[in-house]
Amino acid sequence: MALPGSKAPAFVQAARYVRDPLGFLVRYRKRYGDVFSVRFPFFGRIVYVADPQLVKDVFTGSPAVFHAGEANATMLEPALGPNSVLTLDDEPHLRQRKLLLPPFHGERVRRYGELIEAATRQDMETWPVDEPFALRAHTQRITLAVILRAVFGIRDEARIDRAAKLIDAFSERVTTIVRFPILRRDLGPGSPWRRFVAAREALDAFIYEEVALRRAEAESEKREDVLSLLLRARHEDGSPMSDAELRDELVTVVGAGHETTATGLAWAMERLLRNPQALGRLRESLARGHGDYLEATVKETLRARPVIIDVARKLTAPATIGGHRLPAGSFVVPAIAAVHLRDDLYPDPEQFRPERFFEGKADTYAWIPFGGGIRRCVGAAFAEFEMRIILREFVTRAALRAADPAPEKVKVRNITLAPEHGTRVVLERPLTRPDSDYATPSAAAWASSHSA
Ligand code: HEM
């Protein structure tokens, strides 16, 4: 059976995708069905799958056949390196994943609650009053500070600043290299590749320095940051992680963890400010010390505005998906956006309605912002928990309004889909004082009564 899909040239399809990434996938599903193909320059044919049962087949298919690492490496290997959990497959992938999972387990992430709250409060102090600003720049600063403290375990402010600058420079250079594989060669001084390599070397030097400092630190046995936990972790054969492995996993966590969460938060506020009923209900439920509406708000945000919409698998052998025989080498991608916006799964899918998550449990493969199977996002529990803490602080203390009432369009930003203007907001009056500390009963209750 031939695969349905548009006959338009690859660059036209790519332009449609860039112009309206969510609408594009929704339209294609409606027109061509639950399995359809799209052609993109550089990547060739991509087979999208937009039905939860077929998504399950892909996510739970043999990891030896459905290679995620190989698919991710096409874009990310120059940045993340050869030992990254994101770019490996098979046994090497499992080896890294087993060590990386425990520090991000639900129980452990709760220890970072206070630190997340403190980073949020510190940033909120810098918000201007009565003047439009892009909230996304602030959520990115907060999530980066959280990663540097919780994951790298950096405590010294000057080193935090230095790391943040190096990561910013690296992220900026990475964009071009990821987007245009053709530029991945040395075209002389000042070329994108040279600048990228220089930024990568500067960041790597900092990371190796931090690893050496931590190894030398007498107290490191007692520390709970992710780097310290990884230094104590052992592979099944008893060997510790090498410096090169540590470097690749740390860069992976920074790359996968801070921009994604920052964008998710920006979307949460963008949606809430255009849906005053939901915002009112959220405030009300938080005032009563409840966390269920907050949890549903985060879930609804990631449904309606998934931050990442492409989680590819590259076939190492032929496979049949939805009756279509696909040859080895095919890229198969669960169409996260098209699944999340199906009206048979989510009535009125365009509406932002957190309460829909109280009306019945979404099928595991109908809510997939974190991908699935043995490649499901390592930081999912951390990200949801972090979003809840930060959002709670925003909505309980800040009288924000949208700078422009029109909804912000969805725009491709690196590997994420972000609000076009970075969620432009106005803080109408000075922040109220923090009403409760993370440690107070009501705050701690919702944080721990909801699985992180
Ligand atoms: C809202 C925030 C986030 C979103 C939407 C997100 C989404 C995703 C998605 C879609 C994948 C691919 C899953 C697949 O291929 O099936 C992924 C993988 C991954 N994410 Fe996240 N992520 C977020 C935050 C984080 C955070 C905070 C961390 C770390 C602290 C993190 C670490 C990772 C890692 C290490 C992988 C690779 C897993 C593997 O290949 O085995 N992510 N994430």
Side-chain angles (χ1 to χ4, degrees):
M1 210 194 318
L3 261 176
S6 163
K7 303 271 180 300
F11 74 91
V12 173
Q13 302 201 37
R16 287 179 187 155
Y17 178 100
V18 170
R19 196 181 324 127
D20 177 14
L22 297 187
F24 169 82
L25 288 170
V26 170
R27 273 197 312 278
Y28 270 47
R29 184 189 79 79
K30 286 192 178 146
R31 196 171 307 155
Y32 301 113
D34 289 337
V35 183
F36 55 87
S37 75
V38 176
R39 280 185 186 282
F40 291 129
F42 305 125
F43 298 103
R45 187 181 75 163
I46 309 271
V47 179
Y48 278 102
V49 171
D51 166 81
Q53 185 53 48
L54 299 177
V55 166
K56 181 178 180 194
D57 293 347
V58 174
F59 280 152
T60 59
S62 162
V65 175
F66 291 84
H67 265 188
E70 217 184 306
N72 294 336
T74 323
M75 303 269 278
L76 304 172
E77 154 101 48
L80 304 183
N83 305 295
S84 163
V85 67
L86 259 166
T87 55
L88 289 169
D89 283 301
D90 303 320
E91 179 51 31
H93 165 254
L94 278 185
R95 240 168 87 85
Q96 294 305 119
R97 190 171 162 100
K98 268 188 197 151
L99 293 194
L100 204 55
L101 268 177
F104 292 107
H105 189 266
E107 285 305 317
R108 273 205 189 270
V109 302
R110 292 201 191 102
R111 295 171 198 221
Y112 304 124
E114 270 178 76
L115 176 158
I116 296 168
E117 193 180 66
T120 311
R121 289 182 180 174
Q122 193 177 344
D123 184 86
M124 286 173 82
E125 293 308 321
T126 69
W127 292 8
V129 179
D130 220 10
E131 215 179 278
F133 67 97
L135 190 62
R136 204 194 158 285
H138 289 268
T139 56
Q140 178 131 336
R141 239 176 270 158
I142 299 169
T143 56
L144 183 56
V146 168
I147 293 253
L148 291 173
R149 288 173 198 276
V151 177
F152 284 66
I154 308 177
R155 292 167 177 172
D156 179 68
E157 287 287 340
R159 282 189 76 76
I160 299 246
D161 276 356
R162 202 170 133 216
K165 286 201 179 85
L166 291 169
I167 289 168
D168 281 348
F170 178 70
S171 309
E172 201 181 303
R173 305 281 177 238
V174 140
T175 311
T176 326
I177 298 300
V178 164
R179 217 179 277 171
F180 305 105
I182 203 160
L183 294 175
R184 291 178 194 172
R185 55 200 157 129
D186 194 342
L187 298 169
S191 66
W193 180 253
R194 280 262 182 115
R195 288 150 72 112
F196 160 71
V197 171
R200 186 177 64 187
E201 282 172 356
L203 176 60
D204 287 2
F206 179 87
I207 291 178
Y208 287 127
E209 200 178 285
E210 200 56 41
V211 170
L213 281 172
R214 195 62 48 79
R215 284 196 202 281
E217 203 180 275
E219 290 283 281
S220 96
E221 284 295 310
K222 292 192 199 130
R223 282 204 186 215
E224 289 290 338
D225 56 81
V226 175
L227 171 56
S228 299
L229 296 172
L230 292 179
L231 282 170
R232 301 206 286 271
R234 293 290 174 266
H235 289 297
E236 266 167 15
D237 62 6
S239 62
M241 288 176 86
S242 67
D243 283 9
E245 284 176 295
L246 285 165
R247 177 269 169 209
D248 288 359
E249 297 320 346
L250 289 174
V251 175
T252 298
V253 167
V254 170
H258 91 288
E259 192 165 331
T260 44
T261 314
T263 301
L265 280 159
W267 275 125
M269 284 314 301
E270 192 277 346
R271 291 290 73 206
L272 283 168
L273 293 176
R274 273 125 190 124
N275 292 277
Q277 246 187 329
L279 180 56
R281 243 191 110 171
L282 175 57
R283 288 205 167 112
E284 213 175 275
S285 96
L286 287 172
R288 279 187 277 121
H290 297 170
D292 49 356
Y293 201 82
L294 178 64
E295 191 178 350
T297 300
V298 168
K299 291 211 180 306
E300 176 68 343
T301 302
L302 295 174
R303 178 198 69 82
R305 292 292 181 270
V307 172
I308 293 185
I309 55 165
D310 291 322
V311 286
R313 304 291 186 256
K314 188 172 178 186
L315 297 183
T316 59
T320 302
I321 307 281
H324 299 278
R325 189 77 181 149
L326 305 176
S330 301
F331 283 100
V332 185
V333 181
I336 298 179
V339 173
H340 286 189
L341 294 166
R342 280 179 74 124
D343 50 15
D344 54 344
L345 298 173
Y346 299 101
D348 301 318
E350 282 307 324
Q351 276 187 25
F352 183 78
R353 240 175 26 87
E355 35 284 274
R356 68 171 85 239
F357 283 90
F358 302 139
E359 290 158 6
K361 197 172 163 359
D363 177 319
T364 313
Y365 297 96
W367 187 78
I368 46 171
F370 295 109
I374 63 150
R375 306 300 301 223
R376 188 170 189 270
C377 176
V378 166
F382 188 91
E384 278 193 71
F385 180 67
E386 183 179 3
M387 284 179 70
R388 295 205 292 267
I389 294 196
I390 298 173
L391 207 52
R392 170 180 178 275
E393 203 61 18
F394 285 1
V395 301
T396 54
R397 295 187 52 212
L400 291 170
R401 69 172 157 79
D404 175 352
E408 292 200 20
K409 286 199 184 120
V410 179
K411 188 171 173 245
V412 179
R413 194 194 139 103
N414 294 333
I415 53 163
T416 67
L417 296 189
E420 187 178 20
H421 303 297
T423 306
R424 300 262 303 159
V425 293
V426 176
L427 178 62
E428 294 182 310
R429 49 185 177 274
L431 299 169
T432 58
R433 281 154 49 92
D435 56 353
S436 65
D437 279 321
Y438 178 75
T440 61
S442 66
W446 67 257
S448 53
S449 66
H450 293 88
S451 58

